[in-house]
Amino acid sequence: MTSMSRARVARRIAAGAAFGGGGIGLMGAAGIGLVLAEVRLARRHVGNGTASHVPHADGRYGRMYAAPGEPPLTLTLLGDSTAAGQGVHRAQQTPGALLASGLSAVAEREVELRNVALPGARSDDLDRQVTLVLEDPSRVPDVCVIMVGANDVTHRMPATQSVRHLSAAVRRLRTAGAEVVVGTCPDLGTIEPVQQPLRWLARRASRQLAAAQTIGVVEQGGRTVSLGDLLGPEFAANPRELFGPDNYHPSAEGYATAAMAVLPTVCAALGLWPAEEDRPDASRREGFLPVAKAAAEAASEAGTEVTAAMPTGPRGPWALLKRRRRRRVSEEEAAAGVVP
């Protein structure tokens, strides 16, 4: 699917989510019949993200930066098994711990982490999670990171419903005063046991949802980061390194690579990233675009950030597309839970 076609589909899905339109499925009915046998085969080889132990990583990070009278920055993760950190065995290898450690190092402040993500969750669980996060009005997080969407695709939740739930969650968190960064739906077309034609349909559905999520999030004042790298090109090239034992969830190195993609945007949302990095760099193909076009481009290139820019234009809201510099995390750093 071309970038322009993806932009049109994403715009239509986001409009349906905003105005209560009917469900636009992530896979057409004809395609579903074609791949039922393949789905059954894949399920025998791939975990569904609903079970097993998830390390508990809540707590304070960067205690060496503690200062009398200075409260810690507060970071909360919401979403599914990816946000929870399913697939690793040590707390410091979870994305929440990696982000908290990295944020603490950049801010030179303590960071208090809370994770309310639920393995197996779909976007319709975000309302419950946000209610947990906001139950104490005096403790609204400084920044929330949401990772959700993969289970929406695998359970064929209509994309309009998926985006509607996510947009509502972002709106509630932003209204309460939290910054919000959303890691959009990863590319499920690179899960190793999945074969054609399901692989093609999964990739198409994942990218369509990621683009539509971006429109919904940006329109509510949040920022998005494309998580294609989470199950995308680097995973396809290094499946044994970047997937965990179940061939579905990331390994420690995979989570660290994803955290490195999200951390700069979390820091930028809190005003902690160098000011010159917020200016678009034409050499990296950054710039201001209609939000649907920016969303479509981001869905095609992992690690791309989209944030609101000018309120509106002849073709609707505009956004700033950024490709913040990042690097791959080594296996040794990932094992140690290090995100520089």
Side-chain angles (χ1 to χ4, degrees):
M1 178 180 286
T2 67
S3 177
M4 288 301 295
S5 297
R6 187 174 295 116
R8 284 194 296 270
V9 172
R11 191 183 302 114
R12 200 168 80 246
I13 292 170
F19 298 109
I24 299 175
L26 292 170
M27 294 186 189
I32 293 170
L34 180 64
V35 302
L36 279 178
E38 181 63 36
V39 170
R40 285 193 291 270
L41 179 63
R43 282 176 177 167
R44 287 202 291 268
H45 296 283
V46 179
N48 62 7
T50 59
S52 83
H53 170 72
V54 176
H56 181 77
D58 288 16
R60 292 200 177 186
Y61 293 76
R63 291 186 180 275
M64 72 284 290
Y65 298 117
E70 184 178 51
L73 288 170
T74 49
L75 165 67
T76 297
L77 264 73
L78 307 88
D80 57 22
S81 56
T82 299
Q86 186 171 339
V88 295
H89 302 289
R90 297 165 60 186
Q92 63 263 40
Q93 296 171 334
T94 62
L98 292 164
L99 287 170
S101 298
L103 177 59
S104 175
V106 172
E108 297 187 345
R109 284 179 62 180
E110 267 192 302
V111 173
E112 184 171 351
L113 172 67
R114 183 186 183 193
N115 197 324
V116 300
L118 178 68
R122 288 170 275 181
S123 295
D124 54 5
D125 190 57
L126 289 176
D127 181 63
R128 182 192 64 82
Q129 294 183 28
V130 171
T131 297
L132 286 175
V133 173
L134 300 180
E135 60 187 353
D136 184 351
S138 67
R139 299 186 62 193
V140 175
D142 292 303
V143 60
C144 294
V145 174
I146 302 173
M147 298 180 181
V148 75
N151 295 313
D152 297 18
V153 174
T154 59
H155 289 79
R156 300 200 303 275
M157 175 183 285
T160 48
Q161 290 183 23
S162 179
V163 173
R164 187 179 301 130
H165 288 298
L166 176 59
S167 299
V170 174
R171 181 168 59 252
R172 289 178 65 192
L173 293 168
R174 293 290 293 132
T175 299
E179 296 293 337
V180 180
V181 175
V182 174
T184 56
C185 182
D187 183 354
L188 299 179
T190 54
I191 297 175
E192 196 175 27
V194 177
Q195 302 300 319
Q196 299 291 9
L198 182 59
R199 181 185 295 271
W200 178 84
L201 287 169
R203 169 168 290 125
R204 181 170 180 241
S206 301
R207 292 187 176 184
Q208 281 182 359
L209 180 56
Q213 285 177 320
T214 294
I215 296 174
V217 169
V218 168
E219 288 181 344
Q220 298 302 327
R223 300 176 185 230
T224 64
V225 179
S226 168
L227 286 188
D229 268 2
L230 195 61
L231 294 171
E234 292 181 8
F235 278 65
N238 304 279
R240 295 304 175 195
E241 297 176 20
L242 295 173
F243 278 118
D246 63 2
N247 290 324
Y248 183 88
H249 293 97
S251 64
E253 187 179 356
Y255 277 127
T257 300
M260 278 297 297
V262 174
L263 179 61
T265 300
V266 170
C267 293
L270 294 171
L272 299 172
W273 211 242
E276 59 270 19
E277 275 288 306
D278 282 326
R279 291 192 290 269
D281 184 340
S283 68
R284 300 208 300 261
R285 295 178 292 115
E286 298 176 345
F288 297 97
L289 297 168
V291 66
K293 182 169 174 45
E297 290 203 14
S300 302
E301 184 172 343
T304 305
E305 173 191 319
V306 180
T307 186
M310 294 166 277
T312 190
R315 287 180 285 178
W318 283 59
L320 173 60
L321 184 143
K322 292 283 298 177
R323 294 177 171 88
R324 296 189 185 276
R325 291 185 176 92
R326 60 194 176 88
R327 68 175 178 82
R328 172 105 172 259
V329 178
S330 71
E331 190 172 352
E332 292 75 19
E333 288 174 328
V338 174
V339 176

